[in-house]
Amino acid sequence: MEMTVSYARQGDVHTIHTGGAALGDIIIDNTGIPSDQRGGTAKQLLGAAAVYCYASALTAAMEARGLHYGSLDVSATLEVGSNDKGQSRVLKMVIRAVVGIDEEDQDLFERVARVMKGGCLVTGSLHDGIEMEYQLSSSWQD
């Protein structure tokens, strides 16, 4: 399978054409934003891709096992530094996910958690170059 994502720029407006029906184009408009506040967009996109992918894989794993959940909150924290050549790099990403489940489903949740230790397509693809950490936990639903 192959997919193409393309980029175009006109002035301060950047457009990422995803080719997707649900996602569509991503517009990054820096018009009027001071240059010292424009940094970090690529890291935000990387974090967003990781969070979405992990959440989707986690949802699929729970649904495949019949685990009912009431809430799902996922975040990514990216640690940025330099490699041994002094190049700026994302060195580590921590994915944190909290799933609201009924207390009696904790054993089923533990099975899902074991499956998710390898991450998802996006985060697993990063394993060779970025240290990845997954913190998956449950909270009891009311």
Side-chain angles (χ1 to χ4, degrees):
M1 181 178 151
E2 185 176 281
M3 97 182 311
T4 301
V5 175
S6 64
Y7 167 91
R9 179 176 179 172
Q10 291 186 332
D12 285 337
V13 179
H14 309 256
T15 303
I16 300 168
H17 303 284
T18 68
L23 183 55
D25 289 349
I26 299 169
I27 308 293
I28 302 160
D29 188 350
N30 285 324
T31 305
I33 298 173
S35 60
D36 65 337
Q37 295 178 18
R38 294 182 182 190
T41 303
K43 291 182 287 274
Q44 292 167 342
L45 289 168
L46 178 64
V51 163
Y52 181 78
C53 181
Y54 190 84
S56 295
L58 176 56
T59 299
M62 291 188 295
E63 290 174 356
R65 288 156 184 80
L67 176 60
H68 301 285
Y69 59 96
S71 62
L72 173 59
D73 295 298
V74 184
S75 66
T77 302
L78 287 69
E79 293 180 18
V80 179
S82 298
N83 65 11
D84 57 356
K85 297 177 183 174
Q87 299 164 317
S88 181
R89 295 289 187 260
V90 174
L91 302 175
K92 181 177 182 178
M93 185 182 301
V94 179
I95 303 288
R96 291 179 185 86
V98 179
V99 181
I101 62 170
D102 291 329
E103 190 172 357
E104 61 268 11
D105 290 331
Q106 185 62 33
D107 288 341
L108 190 53
F109 175 79
E110 293 301 326
R111 289 188 2 214
V112 169
R114 283 191 294 279
V115 169
M116 293 305 299
K117 286 184 187 223
C120 65
L121 175 87
V122 170
T123 63
S125 297
L126 299 174
H127 284 181
D128 289 341
I130 298 174
E131 180 185 349
M132 296 297 301
E133 181 179 331
Y134 303 102
Q135 300 175 0
L136 177 56
S137 61
S138 61
S139 64
W140 307 137
Q141 297 183 121
D142 295 330

